[in-house]
Amino acid sequence: MDPEIQKMREVVLVYLDRSGGLQKFVHDCKKYNDSKQSYAVYRFIISINPSDIAELDATLGNYILHNPLQAAQIFQSVCFVAIKTLSLIEQLQTEAQISILLKPTHLPPLPSYVLSLSAYPFNYTSPRFYMSEGIVIAMGTVTKYTQGARFLCTEETCPFSEDKQIVEMIDAKILNALKGYSIDKSHFRIQAFTLFLRDELANKMTIGNHYRIIGIPACVQNGLQATACIEVTSVQLYKPNGPSFVSDNFKYLLSLTSSSCWRFTAILANIFASQVVPPGTYNTLKLAILLSLVQTCEKENADYLDLLIVTSDTLVIDRLLNYSLCLLPRGIRHPPCSDIFPSVSKDKHGSASIQACSAVLAKGGICYIGDLSSYKKDKLELLQSVLESRTTTVFIPGKKYGEEADQQVTVSVQTNFWSFVDVDSSSKKHMQKENFLIGQMDVSLIPVNLLDGFGLLIYNEFPSCRLSSPVVHHILKKAINPEAMLYKVSQQFTTQDYEEFILFARNLHVELSSEAESLIQGYYLASRRVRRDSIHGSTLSASALKILISLAKAHAKLSLRRTVLQEDAVIAILLLESSLTLKHGTSALCVAPNPLFPFDLSDENSLQERDIYLMQCYHQLLKFIAAYSPGIHINTNEE
């Protein structure tokens, strides 16, 4: 026997003993030995860290990294000797009956071990371990295959068959191309890549998630075409850490405004997106956008905040929303020609494959679906269902895809939705009603239930018939020189500063204070009593309480606080009340048309005036709750 091979076998035994792998192997053998079922092949999974092995023996470490199939044979012979020596499996006859799958937990952090899905040329000729990462954009159904020969198995009762799943993955850079507008001007190639998940790895991936995988490249011949793919050995969910800081300019601004719970976010909104619209314009909308941005995450049962904007300035609003999308890693502008929600198609092998589509690719971020009035009734009904449940169901007909039974797959939709309604388009398609209530707008183009599905309905401040002078000047200057920096504030608070700020703020974990919770509940109960009619009962949707809590938490995050205060609740209530006024008309609370920014913010005095005005709104709110929800006791600041 080759002395080098013999030495590597000895090192394998030492490594398995030290790492706990030998103990696991003995346990796995016991399960086989105790089983009454007869096996032709005994399969063992051995987790290894090549770097640790290289510390013991560089030759073996190198062998595992660059000749993994041959390295598995060395482990196979060691395991066979161990079984025979210790009499672990009585039924085992030959070494060939042992199948060893080496699963590296890590690879050396060197470029040569990274397989980039966007790099060219793509190296799939070396049958060794590579690490890669990307987003799952399509998933096939689980099918049977024979473990030994790895071909499709049609016999369900075959004892040597296991489950296999085909997955399509894409480089995360694809998201930049789907934003519609991107600060990154670089060009790159987009190529989906096929993964094979076998046995215990089937169903270990979820569509839309970002993963880091380790596997061995392979080439699959399908007719006249050859497809490069990866046989996956390990799957790990990839969660990038957000920035642990905000820029010094934001820290300084926070210290300057520390005397008020309202000023910091007011200034943030006032100067936000100065690359697209002038400071001081569209402030309510910009504040709502910032609140929605920080209320994004990939957790189940998250606090979502969806925006529907009523506007006749579609061009300006579209630019503003596109710009804001790019501040998140997962900001997707939905192309109108494709599906918003997952669909089913045949993969290269004729099996059913679920395609991710815009809403799933925007997981943990924003899906911007453009003009809502351009969508047909069935699309709007599906959107309404998703807004209510945050899930969508994909139906897979069995006959069409070679399966015996039909399947239904439920896909989670964890994203905030942004959209707008063109009021000019609405007035052309529908005759306007005559019996409008005070403050109510004609949004009859959109079904009422769908309107309630969106967290906020916002009417932007400047209709096209009377665009403000700063907006007109901004548009003309940008048309002449698109790269021009028109305002000093754009240099003080750059796009990157806002990007880092939002990623930091959205990772803050905030809790409701008892005072904020009482204020929100009091307003909610009072509003349900006030906003009702004899036919339909309360016009306040059941989701209104969730929306209020989401808005209040978002304002606390935007203020870089970990506790939701009464001041955050006041902002949330004013935003929702103005949204309800647009839908149903004014209530007894009677907020102003633009309750958060009733006048321009130009200096310290105007910020002080706004604080006084918001405090008046707070006291007005307390009177409203006392009158219409007398059972609720609110702990005021004076108490």
Side-chain angles (χ1 to χ4, degrees):
M1 180 183 290
D2 188 336
E4 193 172 70
I5 297 291
Q6 180 59 33
K7 183 185 177 185
M8 285 194 281
R9 286 178 177 174
E10 293 169 2
V11 174
V12 165
L13 192 59
V14 170
Y15 175 75
L16 289 176
D17 185 38
R18 291 184 181 178
S19 65
L22 192 58
Q23 186 178 357
K24 180 183 178 298
F25 176 73
V26 171
H27 177 72
D28 292 342
C29 287
K30 188 175 186 305
K31 287 196 295 184
Y32 277 124
N33 199 47
D34 293 344
S35 174
K36 294 179 181 178
Q37 184 180 344
S38 60
Y39 293 88
V41 176
Y42 297 87
R43 186 172 178 268
F44 298 95
I45 298 171
I46 298 179
S47 296
I48 55 171
N49 187 335
S51 298
D52 289 348
I53 292 176
E55 291 289 329
L56 286 174
D57 184 78
T59 305
L60 179 60
N62 185 66
Y63 211 59
I64 288 170
L65 287 170
H66 300 98
N67 300 285
L69 300 180
Q70 290 84 352
Q73 292 176 356
I74 295 175
F75 277 79
Q76 179 188 31
S77 61
V78 172
C79 292
F80 177 72
V81 171
I83 291 171
K84 283 300 181 183
T85 304
L86 301 175
S87 301
L88 298 175
I89 302 176
E90 298 291 341
Q91 308 95 314
L92 181 68
Q93 299 296 321
T94 66
E95 186 177 313
Q97 288 179 272
I98 298 176
S99 173
I100 298 294
L101 181 64
L102 297 181
K103 287 201 170 186
T105 55
H106 304 81
L107 291 183
L110 299 170
S112 59
Y113 296 102
V114 177
L115 200 66
S116 172
L117 300 184
S118 61
Y120 185 84
F122 190 86
N123 183 13
Y124 57 87
T125 57
S126 302
R128 65 176 179 85
F129 289 120
Y130 287 91
M131 188 281 292
S132 190
E133 68 179 56
I135 294 167
V136 175
I137 62 163
M139 295 195 71
T141 53
V142 176
T143 57
K144 291 280 188 176
Y145 83 103
T146 52
Q147 284 186 327
R150 293 203 168 182
F151 53 75
L152 287 173
C153 181
T154 55
E155 179 55 54
E156 290 292 324
T157 59
C158 174
F160 313 125
S161 68
E162 279 289 346
D163 295 331
K164 177 195 70 176
Q165 191 173 31
I166 298 175
V167 171
E168 296 283 326
M169 197 164 79
I170 201 84
D171 194 289
K173 289 180 183 176
I174 179 118
L175 299 180
N176 291 329
L178 297 177
K179 287 178 178 176
Y181 164 86
S182 181
I183 300 143
D184 182 12
K185 303 294 184 184
S186 61
H187 298 280
F188 47 84
R189 165 183 88 114
I190 296 170
Q191 177 66 56
F193 198 71
T194 303
L195 308 179
F196 282 99
L197 303 181
R198 299 186 188 271
D199 312 312
E200 71 286 337
L201 289 181
N203 290 326
K204 288 293 185 184
M205 292 178 121
T206 303
I207 194 166
N209 277 0
H210 193 160
Y211 291 97
R212 182 173 282 160
I213 59 139
I214 295 175
I216 300 174
C219 206
V220 175
Q221 196 74 27
N222 188 12
L224 297 176
Q225 291 186 331
T227 304
C229 63
I230 291 182
E231 287 282 351
V232 178
T233 59
S234 74
V235 173
Q236 184 181 3
L237 188 64
Y238 178 74
K239 287 194 175 180
N241 295 323
S244 56
F245 59 87
V246 294
S247 72
D248 290 339
N249 284 334
F250 277 125
K251 288 178 183 175
Y252 181 59
L253 179 61
L254 189 63
S255 66
L256 286 179
T257 56
S258 59
S259 61
S260 164
C261 291
W262 289 314
R263 293 190 187 184
F264 181 66
T265 56
I267 296 172
L268 283 187
N270 194 63
I271 62 177
F272 176 61
S274 58
Q275 295 81 355
V276 182
V277 293
T281 59
Y282 303 98
N283 278 357
T284 299
L285 174 56
K286 290 191 293 184
L287 177 61
I289 287 171
L290 287 168
L291 294 175
S292 184
L293 286 170
V294 298
Q295 210 52 318
T296 55
C297 69
E298 294 186 28
K299 297 176 183 174
E300 295 284 349
N301 302 317
D303 299 302
Y304 299 102
L305 187 50
D306 310 301
L307 305 181
L308 179 58
I309 302 130
V310 180
T311 182
S312 54
D313 304 321
T314 56
L315 183 63
V316 176
I317 296 303
D318 186 57
R319 287 174 177 170
L320 178 57
L321 295 178
N322 264 333
Y323 170 84
S324 304
L325 274 186
C326 297
L327 300 176
L328 287 175
R330 297 276 194 118
I332 302 295
R333 183 191 174 112
H334 171 66
C337 58
S338 63
D339 293 321
I340 303 175
F341 301 110
S343 58
V344 181
S345 64
K346 283 189 178 181
D347 63 17
K348 296 168 186 175
H349 307 279
S351 301
S353 178
I354 301 172
Q355 307 295 314
C357 302
S358 303
V360 176
L361 284 177
K363 186 172 185 176
I366 304 291
C367 182
Y368 172 34
I369 55 179
D371 187 355
L372 210 58
S373 57
S374 65
Y375 291 95
K376 294 181 180 178
K377 184 182 177 182
D378 61 330
K379 299 283 186 185
L380 296 180
E381 288 176 350
L382 181 55
L383 175 60
Q384 178 191 326
S385 171
V386 171
L387 288 174
E388 290 171 356
S389 66
R390 296 294 161 175
T391 60
T392 184
T393 302
V394 179
F395 177 71
I396 305 173
K399 289 183 180 179
K400 185 176 179 181
Y401 296 102
E403 299 288 335
E404 289 185 2
D406 298 339
Q407 292 186 55
Q408 279 193 338
V409 179
T410 300
V411 180
S412 178
V413 180
Q414 299 170 322
T415 180
N416 290 340
F417 289 92
W418 290 352
S419 187
F420 66 82
V421 179
D422 185 349
V423 289
D424 292 340
S425 171
S426 177
S427 60
K428 289 173 188 174
K429 291 184 180 180
H430 289 259
M431 293 296 291
Q432 292 200 2
K433 294 189 292 184
E434 294 180 359
N435 57 340
F436 276 108
L437 300 172
I438 296 173
Q440 190 177 11
M441 288 201 66
D442 177 20
V443 283
S444 55
L445 189 69
I446 308 301
V448 175
N449 289 341
L450 180 55
L451 282 178
D452 289 337
F454 280 90
L456 280 184
L457 180 65
I458 296 172
Y459 177 59
N460 72 283
E461 299 105 289
F462 298 109
S464 55
C465 58
R466 55 183 182 87
L467 271 176
S468 71
S469 179
V471 175
V472 173
H473 289 166
H474 177 95
I475 292 171
L476 291 174
K477 286 179 180 178
K478 279 289 185 179
I480 295 169
N481 185 3
E483 304 297 328
M485 197 75 78
L486 302 183
Y487 316 101
K488 286 183 179 178
V489 74
S490 302
Q491 297 173 334
Q492 286 178 290
F493 300 94
T494 65
T495 298
Q496 185 178 347
D497 289 339
Y498 265 99
E499 186 179 341
E500 291 170 350
F501 176 86
I502 287 162
L503 291 178
F504 176 83
R506 75 176 192 156
N507 286 325
L508 291 175
H509 178 72
V510 296
E511 296 284 349
L512 276 174
S513 66
S514 57
E515 295 83 3
E517 190 173 8
S518 297
L519 195 64
I520 288 170
Q521 286 182 345
Y523 164 78
Y524 175 71
L525 293 174
S527 293
R528 284 191 65 83
R529 289 173 182 167
V530 168
R531 293 190 178 277
R532 65 189 304 115
D533 58 50
S534 56
I535 301 172
H536 301 100
S538 178
T539 56
L540 197 65
S541 68
S543 62
L545 186 60
K546 272 188 174 182
I547 294 165
L548 279 167
I549 293 171
S550 179
L551 283 165
K553 284 183 175 180
H555 192 264
K557 286 182 179 182
L558 201 62
S559 307
L560 302 183
R561 286 194 294 271
R562 296 183 185 273
T563 304
V564 178
L565 307 177
Q566 282 190 323
E567 288 84 350
D568 301 309
V570 168
I571 296 294
I573 289 166
L574 291 177
L575 274 170
L576 185 64
E577 182 64 26
S578 62
S579 175
L580 294 172
T581 300
L582 291 173
K583 295 177 189 176
H584 311 295
T586 55
S587 73
L589 185 57
C590 198
V591 299
N594 188 17
L596 292 181
F597 296 94
F599 38 75
D600 292 339
L601 300 182
S602 54
D603 53 23
E604 179 76 18
N605 290 334
S606 60
L607 286 168
Q608 178 66 26
E609 286 178 33
R610 182 175 180 268
D611 283 353
I612 294 169
Y613 157 79
L614 287 173
M615 189 55 70
Q616 290 170 349
C617 291
Y618 169 64
H619 289 295
Q620 183 185 349
L621 179 60
L622 292 179
K623 291 177 183 176
F624 173 72
I625 293 171
Y628 297 99
S629 185
I632 297 290
H633 175 72
I634 309 294
N635 293 323
T636 62
N637 291 338
E638 288 82 356
E639 291 177 344

